[in-house]
Amino acid sequence: MANENLNSARWSSYDEFYTQWADIEREMNAYLEYDPDVFRDKVILLPCDDPEWSNFTKFFALHFMDFGLKKLISTSFAPDSNPATFSYEPTLFELNDPAFDPTKTHANGRMFVLDSTDVSGDGLVNIDDLQWSYLAGDGDFRSAEVTALRDEADIVITNPPFSLFREFVQWVVDGSKQLSVIGSSNAVTYREVFPLIRENRLWKGATGNNTDMVFAVPKGTEIKDADRQKAERLGYPSNGEYDYTRLGNSCWFTNIEHGRRHEPLQSMSQADNTKFSRHKEVKGIGYRRYDNFDAVDVGFVDAIPSDYAGVMGVPISFLDRYNPDQFDIVGMSAYGQVLPELKVPFKQGHHRPYVGGEAVYQRIFIRRKASA
């Protein structure tokens, strides 16, 4: 999709996807359902954002008092440093402010801050009390300036540039912060991401898995007709400010607890799956072993047997239903991220899972917990 050479990557023109309010609300509500105080007395950082237009900023500013936040910080990337900016003109909000600087508006990032200060004097703390300033630099999350804001924060929440997803997640993890970010579901296979999932330091969010997430994009962004039409059917027609597209492989990644990751996966026994499964690959056949891994292939999440104690290879979509109380993740076939003892000698250079001499999709290797 976008260049992912992290040594040279900057924001790509295909990275500017604006998250919809409903998607933010659904995910945050799932955390609140599990722990009503999850945001209380917390400093939340929203980097890689556009504070004036971002639904992330609006959402948390609106709920600042409801959630009991301590502080909200939102930062943006400088227009001149962002190739995703097709054209830029400062808004009247910025132009009419005494702090407006015609040079900095193009070359510097901006920071919006909301704390307990009732700037408007209306007795509430909300979006009317946001205070803004120019950053010293361009707002790149990797800068010392924004990294210092990360260090001040408790939770980092945003839709980061997809082309820098690996580096962004590592940046948050390096700061030992909680996070909730949007990325491609394919990110679970990344060498930088999968170990975090295996070690239970990162997991799928509660919502948006295996669904179409709709994003606003700058006018002029190239969009496939099918994606534009799907967004329209979902209630997002193009308007004077934005076009809309859908990304079917987008999802949330987080290390914030939510109850849905502890819902048990219901399954049948090996014998019952072999007899009753709706999948022709299992019904009447059972489970076949890999040619190159010491594990059985289970090609469908709903066919995971309840009584198999060994290692199973399951689809990547298993992570949408992964319950750490039921299963241990022991590896992944992609990039050879699997225990050496699970590897079986096979044709040189073949790292995909093979069954009966034929390659299958990449698999996550799991083992049912003894107590589950």
Side-chain angles (χ1 to χ4, degrees), residues 265 267 270 287-290 293-299 303-315 318 326-331 342 363-369:
L265 177 66
S267 56
Q270 297 176 72
Y287 303 93
R288 299 191 295 170
R289 301 195 71 83
Y290 294 108
F293 295 108
D294 185 13
V296 297
D297 182 50
V298 183
I304 295 174
S306 61
D307 57 349
Y308 186 75
V311 177
M312 299 172 279
V314 297
F318 163 80
Q326 275 186 298
F327 300 96
D328 288 319
I329 296 175
V330 298
L342 286 180
R363 295 288 194 245
I364 291 174
F365 295 106
I366 65 170
R367 182 187 288 114
R368 186 176 291 274
K369 287 181 179 288

Side-chain angles (χ1 to χ4, degrees), residues 166-369:
R166 310 170 196 237
E167 191 170 4
F168 183 84
V169 169
Q170 190 61 55
W171 177 78
V172 179
V173 170
D174 286 346
S176 300
K177 305 300 177 180
Q178 289 189 295
L179 79 161
S180 180
V181 298
I182 294 174
S184 166
S185 59
N186 294 330
V188 301
T189 67
Y190 296 167
R191 289 189 180 94
E192 300 86 352
V193 174
F194 177 72
L196 299 174
I197 295 173
R198 185 185 59 221
E199 296 161 9
N200 207 30
R201 298 168 63 195
L202 185 72
W203 46 84
K204 285 287 198 79
T207 66
N209 298 320
N210 287 325
T211 61
D212 289 306
M213 293 182 72
V214 174
F215 298 89
V217 294
K219 299 293 286 187
T221 301
E222 183 179 348
I223 302 173
K224 293 181 180 179
D225 288 340
D227 291 336
R228 185 192 302 273
Q229 292 166 9
K230 186 64 176 289
E232 290 177 353
R233 289 196 296 271
L234 292 170
Y236 295 92
S238 298
N239 56 43
E241 290 185 279
Y242 301 110
D243 290 325
Y244 291 88
T245 187
R246 44 77 66 183
L247 294 175
N249 66 340
S250 295
C251 63
W252 291 89
F253 290 89
T254 188
N255 56 7
I256 302 173
E257 283 288 359
H258 55 82
R260 297 174 199 181
R261 75 184 292 253
H262 296 286
E263 293 176 357
L265 177 66
Q266 302 298 326
S267 56
M268 296 187 293
S269 67
Q270 297 176 72
D272 283 346
N273 268 294
T274 302
K275 187 174 181 180
F276 301 113
S277 176
R278 63 189 180 92
H279 304 290
K280 65 181 186 299
E281 294 89 347
V282 178
K283 188 173 183 179
I285 298 172
Y287 303 93
R288 299 191 295 170
R289 301 195 71 83
Y290 294 108
D291 301 333
N292 52 338
F293 295 108
D294 185 13
V296 297
D297 182 50
V298 183
F300 308 93
V301 175
D302 62 2
I304 295 174
S306 61
D307 57 349
Y308 186 75
V311 177
M312 299 172 279
V314 297
I316 291 173
S317 59
F318 163 80
L319 292 177
D320 300 342
R321 305 286 306 279
Y322 170 50
N323 179 343
D325 306 320
Q326 275 186 298
F327 300 96
D328 288 319
I329 296 175
V330 298
M332 174 181 280
S333 58
Y335 305 116
Q337 300 181 88
V338 64
L339 297 173
E341 54 264 34
L342 286 180
K343 296 180 181 180
V344 174
F346 193 61
K347 300 175 184 177
Q348 187 176 0
H350 289 254
H351 303 293
R352 291 276 296 274
Y354 276 75
V355 177
E358 295 185 1
V360 298
Y361 289 112
Q362 298 287 5
R363 295 288 194 245
I364 291 174
F365 295 106
I366 65 170
R367 182 187 288 114
R368 186 176 291 274
K369 287 181 179 288

Side-chain angles (χ1 to χ4, degrees), residues 39 41-45 70-73 152-155:
F39 299 123
D41 297 323
K42 298 295 175 58
V43 177
I44 293 181
L45 173 64
K70 179 180 179 180
K71 189 175 184 180
L72 178 67
I73 307 171
E152 179 185 353
D154 299 294
I155 307 174

Side-chain angles (χ1 to χ4, degrees), residues 103-114:
T103 299
K104 289 184 177 180
T105 190
H106 288 272
N108 295 63
R110 289 180 299 161
M111 176 173 65
F112 280 57
V113 174
L114 183 62

